[in-house]
Amino acid sequence: MTSALVVIPARLNATRLPRKPLADICGKPMIVRVLEQAQNADIGPVVVACDDESIAKAVRDHGGKAVMTRADHESGSDRIQEAADAIDPARNHDVVLNLQGDVPLIAPEAIRAAFAPLADASVDIGTIMTEIRQEQFRDDPSFVKAVVTPLGSTAYRALYFTRATAPTGDGPLFQHIGVYAYRRAALDRFVALPASPLEVREKLEQLRALENGMRIDVSLIDTAPMDVNTPDDLERARAAVSAQ
């Protein structure tokens, strides 16, 4: 396994937080905060795939690399695939890691944890999860559950992802975190596939991979990174960065 190409998809328009990638967090746009955390993970070059020149300018003004992509992509996976083909047409990187642009406080080790499962050549996609420790979130459909089988102390194979409270019975529940490391051929196959029945029903894109026989392995990390979707989230992120 060679290094990953880390691609951060960024779309300017967001319903709950307008111009979200450019939101200021203690003197830097949020997209730049995410870019810096990805660079600190040190698993390969990092690029922002964006749909608006203002995002590209903000990234470049802070020394980062950005590439413009089509504005009509339906998902981040489609956007990162376009960006990867534009940036690396020779396919020197055999892994493309999709890091969401709204996690300005994600730890570099969490990014590396999503990359780690691809050390096994039979794994198509690597991702991460954390244990749900607060009772009120166990039944919350916004906390996507990873149903997994253990492979080691922190390594698991994904059997299913769901918004339901699963599995039943005694034992931990795990929250899936949407950071994906795709083997390059797996990404090409994934974006070419139509939306699958369970993907449509659960509104979870990763189910398309499982329904088509692709293997997803999951690394367990200690805590979930804070994502920023609302003005209140943004204030919490600013407070957290100020406290560092």
Side-chain angles (χ1 to χ4, degrees), residues 176-194:
H176 176 238
I177 299 161
V179 179
Y180 298 98
Y182 292 91
R183 213 171 291 282
R184 192 71 176 267
L187 176 61
D188 291 342
R189 181 184 174 202
F190 180 82
V191 299
L193 290 167

Side-chain angles (χ1 to χ4, degrees), residues 18-36:
R19 299 176 65 83
K20 180 165 70 170
L22 301 178
D24 180 81
I25 300 179
C26 302
K28 294 179 181 178
M30 176 159 56
I31 191 65
V32 172
R33 294 280 179 188
V34 179
L35 172 75
E36 291 175 343

Side-chain angles (χ1 to χ4, degrees), residues 104-127:
L105 294 164
I106 190 168
E109 53 267 29
I111 300 169
R112 290 193 290 268
F115 180 58
L118 297 187
D120 183 337
S122 62
V123 176
D124 296 298
I125 303 168
T127 189

Side-chain angles (χ1 to χ4, degrees), residues 206-219:
Q206 63 270 36
L207 291 175
R208 186 191 318 173
L210 292 183
E211 287 187 82
N212 285 278
M214 300 172 75
R215 177 172 166 179
I216 303 177
D217 276 17
V218 192
S219 296

